[in-house]
Amino acid sequence: MAAEDRLDLPMVGERQSLREQVAQALRAALITGQMRPGVVYSAPVLAAQFGVSATPVREAMLDLAKAGLVEAVRNKGFRVTELSERDLDELTQLRELIEVPTVAKLADAGRAPDFRRLRPAAEEILAAAEGGDLLAYVNADLRFHLELLGLSGNGHLVEVVRDLRTRARLYGLSQLAERGTLADSAREHLALLDALENGDERAAEHIMSEHIQHVRGIWAAREG
């Protein structure tokens, strides 16, 4: 059995509940691949790294278990579930079916103010990619895509995509950041906003489809 790593986890404060803060931090660690498949993580060890008691960590891990991201290991802790290539292909297909047409239909020059409000998030994604700040990249990327999809007015769709994105792990982020190619994927967010502001539905559809395929490559720890 693989050894449990010490994770680079943030200390938590008091603005949110401890359970919410811990769950958010653990989800980020899962998405970036910092928490590795097959490794068993104990609540007391994680709690010590967070600087909190084991209870909110255990509760947060149980929430992640309900989402299928980890599985309980009796008297040991929680093991990160592994995703097969088929799993990743199916997640990609679902994202394409939902996000590509939804985003493309948003293309409308008359909605330019909506898209301009998303530009700071897109620039934050690029800055994080160029600076190699993977957690900032993941958080800004998630916020950008969910806020963009939110413009469709379909809250249920947004929650479905949030779940799909959480279920996948961006195993290749660190490698792409080290090679300097993560910024290329980050720039696609700005290009997408340009197409949407110009009312170019076809270009938006193409960029969104290509972007999801590139992310599929990141999921598999290889450049898409």
Side-chain angles (χ1 to χ4, degrees):
M1 183 180 293
E4 180 176 345
D5 295 331
R6 177 174 178 80
L7 304 179
D8 182 20
L9 298 173
M11 298 293 285
V12 297
E14 298 180 353
R15 286 179 296 177
Q16 293 176 293
S17 74
L18 289 178
R19 179 176 180 165
E20 291 172 341
Q21 292 179 77
V22 169
Q24 183 177 353
L26 291 176
R27 283 178 184 274
L30 281 165
I31 292 170
T32 60
Q34 188 181 5
M35 292 180 70
R36 297 180 294 126
V39 177
V40 176
Y41 295 91
S42 71
V45 172
L46 291 174
Q49 295 182 49
F50 279 118
V52 300
S53 70
T55 299
V57 176
R58 191 172 291 110
E59 291 174 343
M61 292 297 273
L62 287 172
D63 289 340
L64 296 179
K66 291 177 182 177
L69 301 175
V70 299
E71 56 187 5
V73 179
R74 186 177 178 83
N75 298 326
K76 292 183 181 293
F78 297 85
R79 180 187 294 115
V80 178
T81 56
E82 299 194 47
L83 290 175
S84 67
E85 290 294 308
R86 179 173 179 175
D87 290 329
L88 295 173
D89 285 338
E90 290 177 353
L91 288 168
T92 301
Q93 183 180 36
L94 286 170
R95 285 195 61 191
E96 288 181 322
L97 288 171
I98 297 171
E99 294 184 65
V100 173
T102 300
V103 170
K105 289 177 182 178
L106 293 174
D108 181 354
R111 303 193 67 173
D114 290 330
F115 304 130
R116 282 197 289 270
R117 282 194 290 272
L118 287 171
R119 199 162 289 271
E123 292 170 347
E124 186 179 341
I125 296 169
L126 179 57
E130 293 176 336
D133 189 338
L134 302 186
L135 288 181
Y137 178 94
V138 167
N139 289 332
D141 180 70
L142 178 63
R143 186 170 71 253
F144 174 89
H145 283 284
L146 296 186
E147 289 183 4
L148 177 60
L149 290 169
L151 296 177
S152 70
N154 189 331
H156 293 292
L157 181 149
V158 173
E159 288 308 308
V160 167
V161 172
R162 183 196 299 273
D163 179 65
L164 291 173
R165 290 173 60 92
T166 301
R167 287 178 181 275
R169 272 68 115 180
L170 301 177
Y171 297 120
L173 274 183
S174 58
Q175 295 95 318
L176 294 183
E178 290 169 3
R179 294 203 302 267
T181 55
L182 185 58
D184 293 336
S185 178
R187 291 189 185 94
E188 292 172 348
H189 300 86
L190 293 166
L192 177 60
L193 289 179
D194 289 339
L196 292 170
E197 285 189 37
N198 291 331
D200 192 335
E201 183 174 340
R202 180 171 296 182
E205 181 178 34
H206 174 74
I207 294 168
M208 193 65 213
S209 180
E210 288 290 304
H211 181 65
I212 291 177
Q213 285 299 321
H214 292 163
V215 172
R216 168 62 178 91
I218 295 174
W219 284 351
R222 57 181 170 77
E223 188 173 0

